[in-house]
Amino acid sequence: MNLPEKVKIVEVGPRDGLQNERQTVPVEVKVEFCNRLSAAGVPNLESASFVSAKWVPQMASSAAVMQAITRRPGTIYSVLTPNMKGFEDALTARADEVVIFGAASEAFSQRNINCSIAESIERFRPVARAAKSHKLRLRGAISCALGCPYQGEVPIEAVVDVAQRLAELGCDEIDVADTIGVGTPAKTARTMEAVARVVPRESISGHFHDTYGQAVANIYASLEVGISIFHSSTAGLGGCPYAKGATGNVSTEDVLFLLEGLGIQTGIDLNAIVDAGQWISAILGQKAASRAGNALFAKRNA
Ligand code: HMG
Ligand code: MG
């Protein structure tokens, strides 16, 4: 199969990236981060998460962030909504897309959202219905699609099963998520192919954490089987509070560098993303976890 000519990037830095930061990140910083990312041309910005503040304290300021950001026409602002309370908050916050997030592993589902996979689908049902009636886009995430921190191996059939259920709920997009970054290219391609047998290929996205350094290779393997939506986090920020030891998502800088090298369009300004990545990393007092970002920045300042 030919590689896609265009790829849609879902930038998850402000949500997946920042949710795992121990220090409280001020609202003004989150807002400026979002504004820098949208100004760089990001088509989908996962900007907030309406979950319990007891579970993920960093996301407690989500309503304030959503209220203060500058909306760029052409950017879809997406937010996590595990239940109807989250959905109501998302509606008030004028989100464009809501994300229901399940898992292919029972153990992870319990740890992350405090219910079984089957129960989670029932909780998502009214959210999905409400999203449709308010004409919001609906996205469904499948955590632990390539391995689970508690259960280990996750059968491909379990991933396919959840994908099918999310599709039945009306999801416009389905995220195959490697929560702990254990996937390798052959397994990634097999999983994507299997999911593509039950949902439209163009609605599948790859969400790769880079714990084992395989994310760029997994994206390439996914491109080869016709996947054209990928999630990434500027400066490689992040991780999941319920997946200990897992590092951030693949960095947006690394993904854009890969895609530019392949001649694949994203509509995003890589230089502006490099700046945003260096800026947020300096504020957080850490070195950006992006090979391409750091190299491009060093080259520019040489
Ligand atoms: P629960 O305790 O089972 O639910 O939590 P509950 O309905 O019994 O509510 C308990 C308390 O939470 C109540 O407050 C509710 O009001 C409140 P209390 O009466 O104790 O004061 N509550 C809420 N507050 C704000 N917003 C809400 C909300 N819902 C209930 N929406 C729940 C269930 C799902 C809420 C909880 O388990 C939770 O918030 N979990 C957080 C999960 C999370 O955010 N994980 C990280 C994001 S997922 C991820 O990173 C993976 C992903 O990137 C893909 C990948 O890499 O795999 C997407
Ligand atoms: Mg994630």
Side-chain angles (χ1 to χ4, degrees), residues 16 207 209 249:
D16 205 341
H207 174 115
H209 286 258
N249 298 85

Side-chain angles (χ1 to χ4, degrees), residues 198-279:
V198 296
V199 304
R201 201 173 289 261
E202 59 277 11
S203 70
I204 303 173
S205 72
H207 174 115
F208 301 107
H209 286 258
D210 204 19
T211 318
Y212 289 81
Q214 303 296 298
V216 165
N218 290 339
I219 289 177
Y220 192 79
S222 304
L223 287 168
E224 283 191 314
V225 296
I227 303 303
S228 60
I229 311 172
F230 297 100
H231 295 194
S232 60
S233 168
T234 291
L237 295 174
C240 175
Y242 299 99
K244 292 279 168 265
T247 64
N249 298 85
V250 63
S251 77
T252 306
E253 298 90 316
D254 288 3
V255 178
L256 293 179
F257 192 77
L258 169 79
L259 296 174
E260 286 195 3
L262 293 167
I264 296 175
Q265 310 289 317
T266 62
I268 301 177
D269 176 352
L270 172 55
N271 277 318
I273 293 289
V274 170
D275 288 339
Q278 299 293 319
W279 172 82

Side-chain angles (χ1 to χ4, degrees), residues 15-16 19 46 49-56 80-87 89 99 101 108 111-115 123 141-144 177-180 207 209 239-242 249:
R15 196 284 302 170
D16 205 341
Q19 76 177 5
E46 203 172 270
S49 179
F50 292 107
V51 297
S52 161
K54 281 185 204 143
W55 286 63
V56 187
L80 265 55
T81 53
N83 51 23
M84 279 309 287
K85 158 123 187 68
F87 181 82
D89 292 346
V99 185
F101 50 104
F108 188 81
R111 299 278 207 309
N112 194 40
I113 52 174
N114 205 23
C115 63
R123 283 188 192 179
I142 311 172
S143 286
C144 297
D178 186 6
T179 315
I180 53 170
H207 174 115
H209 286 258
C240 175
Y242 299 99
N249 298 85

Side-chain angles (χ1 to χ4, degrees), residues 110-131:
Q110 289 291 352
R111 299 278 207 309
N112 194 40
I113 52 174
N114 205 23
C115 63
S116 69
I117 296 172
E119 283 164 348
S120 74
I121 299 295
E122 291 316 309
R123 283 188 192 179
F124 298 154
R125 205 177 291 286
V127 178
R129 210 177 292 130

Side-chain angles (χ1 to χ4, degrees), residues 46-77:
E46 203 172 270
S47 32
S49 179
F50 292 107
V51 297
S52 161
K54 281 185 204 143
W55 286 63
V56 187
Q58 185 67 258
M59 290 291 110
S61 57
S62 287
V65 171
M66 290 296 285
Q67 202 185 356
I69 53 179
T70 305
R71 311 278 168 135
R72 186 189 78 103
T75 294
I76 289 170
Y77 293 86

